[in-house]
Every structure is written in structure tokens, then in C-alpha cells.
Amino acid sequence: MGLELESARLRLRQWREEDTDPFYEFFRDPHTHAIYQTDFERHDIWRRIASFIGHWHLRGFGPWALEDKASGLFAGYAGLWFPPEFSDVEVGYGIMPEFRGRGYAPEAARMARDHGHEFGIKRLVSYIKPGNTQSRRVAEKLGARPDGEFPLRGVPHTVFLHRKP
């Protein structure tokens, strides 16, 4: 289906049904919930994963599941997302609580961003909700800079533009 990438510590791989439970736990985490403010049920997560897989088929790119190579555990997600209501292709990422603080978010986001540029996508952004300082730091580590606002789920998000490295 889709391309898989690896770094020294992470495998960016296609989604599997067994990712449903850990991805559900990701959305149950208080920090994650504060960002997304959505009460997902387990069946919602299964549908979200199915939409990620469908995105790969429709667009030729999409979000990957992150796997910690040392443990083989689900470590989060990262990738490119471009549903019809978006103005630009987004570089998105989210890390499981037990893997936060290890630099996995910038590592995975950098691989996703670079893949997007190699794929020929001219404009890559990250839509970051006000107050999400962790995501802002990740975008800034990658050299992204604020470039306006975009309304996402009724909330203005800062658009961080990722320039080609």
C-alpha cells in the first residue's frame, strides 16, 4: 500500500488493526485530550485508522503509525494529511505518553516533511492550536515559521510553514 520509512530509533509503518487499542489510549491521555478535545470511543479510533489507510489510497501519502524499534511498541503517529477542507498538506504528529520527551516527535515529523518535499508537495504546514507549546516547539525545531491562521474545528490555529530543508 504505502511507503515505509526508518530512522535509527523509529519505524514509520502502515497501520495495523492491532494499533487500535494503543491509539485509543493515546486519545484517552489527558494531554492529548486537551489538544483534540474529542471524546473518542474505541470504534471511532478504528474508523480514524481506516481513514488514514484510505488517505494513502486516495492521495498516495498519509499518516504512518510509529513503532519504537527497540521495543516494537506503538509510539504514536506522524505523516501527511490533506482532507478536502484543508488549504495545505499538513505535517502532523502525536507521541504516546510513555515515549514523550525523547525527541521522537521532531524525528518523525522531519521524516514526514522530507518525504512530502521528495513527493513533490510544494507547501507543507502544521496547524497548531494556540497553547500547544509542545507542537509549536517541534515545528520550530524543524525550521517552520508562523504564516497566518487557519480555522480548524472552529478554532483558529497558527499555520506553521515548513520550508524545504
Side-chain angles (χ1 to χ4, degrees):
M1 173 179 46
L3 172 76
E4 297 195 356
L5 302 174
E6 286 193 25
S7 68
R9 303 182 304 161
L10 291 172
R11 183 171 291 111
L12 280 68
R13 62 164 173 76
Q14 293 307 305
W15 292 87
R16 303 176 185 148
E17 190 165 358
E18 58 265 23
D19 295 328
T20 304
D21 287 337
F23 202 33
Y24 176 60
E25 291 305 317
F26 170 79
F27 283 101
R28 290 174 47 93
D29 170 67
H31 173 75
T32 304
H33 188 270
I35 294 166
Y36 290 93
Q37 294 181 332
T38 304
D39 291 320
F40 286 118
E41 298 293 331
R42 192 176 180 285
H43 64 269
D44 298 315
I45 299 305
W46 192 93
R47 284 186 184 96
R48 189 173 192 86
I49 290 171
S51 73
F52 287 170
I53 294 167
H55 192 282
W56 276 95
H57 285 283
L58 293 170
R59 302 276 192 211
F61 58 85
W64 287 276
L66 300 180
E67 183 178 302
D68 174 61
K69 288 172 65 173
S71 66
L73 295 174
F74 178 84
Y77 75 95
L80 306 173
W81 185 240
F82 189 48
E85 69 273 15
F86 278 21
S87 298
D88 296 295
V89 177
E90 182 183 29
V91 176
Y93 39 85
I95 304 297
M96 293 291 289
E98 60 269 30
F99 291 103
R100 291 178 186 151
R102 298 184 190 183
Y104 281 13
E107 184 175 331
R110 180 175 288 109
M111 286 193 294
R113 180 206 62 197
D114 292 352
H115 171 70
H117 286 305
E118 290 167 13
F119 193 76
I121 300 169
K122 301 287 185 231
R123 185 173 157 91
L124 294 168
V125 302
S126 290
Y127 298 126
I128 300 179
K129 186 177 183 179
N132 187 348
T133 56
Q134 293 89 345
S135 284
R136 183 183 183 104
R137 279 196 299 270
V138 170
E140 289 171 343
K141 280 182 186 179
L142 297 181
R145 296 292 173 249
D147 188 48
E149 287 189 347
F150 181 77
L152 190 57
R153 293 183 289 275
V155 176
H157 284 57
T158 303
V159 177
F160 276 81
L161 178 62
H162 293 272
R163 300 208 190 302
K164 197 169 185 175

